[in-house]
Amino acid sequence: MERKIREEIGNLERKIEWKQENLDKAVMDFKESAATYDAHCIETFIPGKIEEITRCRMEIENLAQQKQMLEYLLD
């Protein structure tokens, strides 16, 4: 049982790293876009970029909570 829990913790850590990379890319894209877009493009496209950043942060938070629960089971 402990081995399976440790494996799942490792899986979650890899998912968190992958999601963090996605978040970093989304933030970089947001910054670049905000600096170069005109008013119409900002109004049209920036809300979607903000939603993407929010979604990534929530996914990371959920994965971190799952990892924390599994770590608690090991204690």
Side-chain angles (χ1 to χ4, degrees):
M1 180 72 162
E2 182 177 332
R3 184 178 63 81
K4 288 196 178 263
I5 292 173
R6 290 192 188 281
E7 286 177 10
E8 185 59 28
I9 289 172
N11 290 338
L12 289 169
E13 288 172 343
R14 285 186 292 281
K15 287 179 184 177
I16 290 170
E17 288 176 17
W18 180 67
K19 294 291 183 181
Q20 184 63 50
E21 289 175 10
N22 288 344
L23 175 60
D24 293 343
K25 289 176 187 174
V27 169
M28 184 180 300
D29 185 44
F30 172 84
K31 289 178 180 179
E32 291 172 359
S33 298
T36 59
Y37 281 0
D38 63 12
H40 172 72
C41 289
I42 288 173
E43 181 182 4
T44 304
F45 298 112
I46 293 296
K49 295 184 182 299
I50 292 170
E51 288 175 11
E52 179 182 4
I53 291 168
T54 301
R55 186 180 67 250
C56 287
R57 289 189 66 234
M58 293 299 296
E59 290 171 352
I60 291 169
E61 190 175 311
N62 289 336
L63 291 169
Q65 288 176 355
Q66 291 174 27
K67 179 183 170 216
Q68 185 178 19
M69 286 188 289
L70 290 173
E71 289 172 337
Y72 178 77
L73 291 175
L74 291 177
D75 289 339

